[in-house]
Amino acid sequence: MKRSRDDEDSDYKPKKIKTEDSKKAKKRKQEEVDVKPKKNKNKVKGQEGEVKRKKVKKEEEEKWKWWEEERHTDGVKWTFLEHKGPVFAPPYEPVPDNVKFYYDGKQVKLSPKAEEVATFFAKMLDHEYTTKDVFRKNFYKDWKKEMTSEEQSLITNLSKCDFTHMSSYFKAQSEARKQMTKQEKQKIKEENERLVQEYGYCVMDNHKERIANFRIEPPGLFRGRGNHPKMGKLKRRINPENIIINCSKDSKVPPAPSGHKWKEVRHDNKVTWLVSWTENIQGSIKYIMLNPSSRIKGEKDWQKYETARRLKLCVDKIRNSYKEDWKSKEMKARQRAVALYFIDKLALRAGNEKEEGETADTVGCCSLRVEHIKLFLEMDGQEYVVEFDFPGKDSIRYYNKVPVEKRVFKNLQLFMEKQTT
DNA sequence: ACCAAGACTTGGATTAAAGGAA
DNA sequence: TTCCTTTAATCCAAGTCTTGGT
């Protein structure tokens, strides 16, 4: 692997990564972090390979070496931004008449809106989700809202709904997709490529950049992870009227689909997103942003690694300082010091506060509660052992037993008496 | 100084594509 | 070719961290 290696004295000047595009650069950085580097295999053989190689070479020549340029220091992220707007999810196509839905053993023809939501459920039928109580309850509640009043009065019990025929129809569909001929597959691929060419790029400051997610998220049922209180709720369809477009004043504003208009068009160069909308499950904002290969992402990523690198210059000081704070008379300082120690020693996530009832109950270092740790003066021949057992990100269990310094242990005892930590 | 909203990163799951053996 | 396995790309929820308003 080719790389110029005088990293030790990096002064933040981008001389290093000359021969790599940013994607590779990122990989390279990851390899430095990883214990085992991945093999770099790009065997391209035959005539096709020759063409491919030439194409790649050409692209490389045209590549912009953003890491050799000056960076903004204020909050300005760009001066020119133009794009084609998002690609919306395809409209709902009703299932053919021979695909049946049954309620209480009797066949029912659903109205298009109710049917669409029913298909979302049908598509997930053999997923464990659909057996969960919370999921079913949330789904049922949102589904009813989409029904006509006749349907509402007819359908009163989810357990009497039979989605199996719908489900097998979709299974057959995806099977059929796999069995398509070469030409059919090729046609789809080309059509896809056309979309990418048209909507997959934007111009930011004189450079054509790849957009990461130019397609709006399609409607469906929300799949929260862990035991999420909102799983199964209907993720509604996003229309142009929900969309905020961000681009520069002197750019060509993308037209909304005919008969529609955007919620808003703004020109905010202090942010990096091109399109945003508010999602209906948590009320949070979703964005369309650029690819990791773009300047805006690559620069930030690079900065991150440089920051990490600078850590070694001050890590000793930090460690001494938190050890000192274990004795502080301020309880807050002690808590911070112990938390920092765990983050340092165990690489725990920081752990921000979360809104109760809105999301699954998960914690990180700073949001650990008394019930998440146990203290053992002695365990398996070791002194001052802390046992961690808590649901972390995505409700994944973190379980670990670690011997700690006596001071840390004493502090934890103190915190737990006072119901903090 | 506080806190909610906003912006952006991370990483697991899902799907698509590529590779490889039969 | 066909079928299975591995890898890569995409999707999107769940985090972290920053910002701006009070």
Side-chain angles (χ1 to χ4, degrees), chain A residues 298-309:
Chain A
E299 212 165 83
K300 192 85 189 297
D301 197 41
W302 178 20
Q303 223 180 86
K304 175 186 71 185
Y305 285 100
E306 290 301 329
T307 305
R309 207 140 67 154

Side-chain angles (χ1 to χ4, degrees), chain A residues 319-338 341 405-412 414-415:
Chain A
R319 285 180 175 147
N320 288 332
S321 137
Y322 73 59
K323 282 174 186 169
E324 201 51 44
D325 278 349
W326 288 343
K327 305 181 254 182
S328 171
K329 40 192 173 304
E330 255 187 284
M331 223 14 90
K332 272 191 178 177
R334 284 200 190 201
Q335 289 192 6
R336 187 185 58 213
V338 170
Y341 167 73
E405 303 207 19
K406 182 173 178 183
R407 263 225 160 76
V408 172
F409 193 87
K410 292 287 172 195
N411 271 321
L412 287 171
L414 201 61
F415 302 157

Side-chain angles (χ1 to χ4, degrees), chain A residues 286-417:
Chain A
K286 298 269 188 155
Y287 304 94
I288 289 182
M289 293 183 185
L290 299 192
N291 210 48
S293 63
S294 62
R295 184 217 100 220
I296 204 95
K297 293 292 181 192
E299 212 165 83
K300 192 85 189 297
D301 197 41
W302 178 20
Q303 223 180 86
K304 175 186 71 185
Y305 285 100
E306 290 301 329
T307 305
R309 207 140 67 154
R310 279 186 290 130
L311 178 61
K312 80 159 179 244
L313 303 174
C314 53
V315 68
D316 292 336
K317 210 158 82 186
I318 293 170
R319 285 180 175 147
N320 288 332
S321 137
Y322 73 59
K323 282 174 186 169
E324 201 51 44
D325 278 349
W326 288 343
K327 305 181 254 182
S328 171
K329 40 192 173 304
E330 255 187 284
M331 223 14 90
K332 272 191 178 177
R334 284 200 190 201
Q335 289 192 6
R336 187 185 58 213
V338 170
L340 207 39
Y341 167 73
F342 282 134
I343 288 172
D344 185 18
K345 189 182 171 75
L346 305 171
L348 300 185
R349 284 192 184 76
N352 290 329
E353 309 98 326
K354 332 173 47 177
E355 214 173 322
E356 212 172 319
E358 294 295 299
T359 56
D361 178 23
T362 61
V363 296
C365 185
C366 301
S367 46
L368 282 169
R369 299 191 298 266
V370 175
E371 71 249 40
H372 297 128
I373 61 172
K374 278 188 190 142
L375 303 178
F376 298 91
L377 267 169
E378 191 272 319
M379 181 194 250
D380 303 332
Q382 291 178 305
E383 284 189 308
Y384 307 121
V385 174
V386 182
E387 183 190 57
F388 292 84
D389 192 353
F390 62 88
K393 182 177 176 179
D394 296 331
S395 301
I396 291 165
R397 184 181 183 198
Y398 181 92
Y399 183 81
N400 201 0
K401 288 179 281 194
V402 273
V404 301
E405 303 207 19
K406 182 173 178 183
R407 263 225 160 76
V408 172
F409 193 87
K410 292 287 172 195
N411 271 321
L412 287 171
Q413 285 182 319
L414 201 61
F415 302 157
M416 287 171 81
E417 277 167 34

Side-chain angles (χ1 to χ4, degrees), chain A residues 165 241 340:
Chain A
H165 193 225
E241 284 69 19
L340 207 39

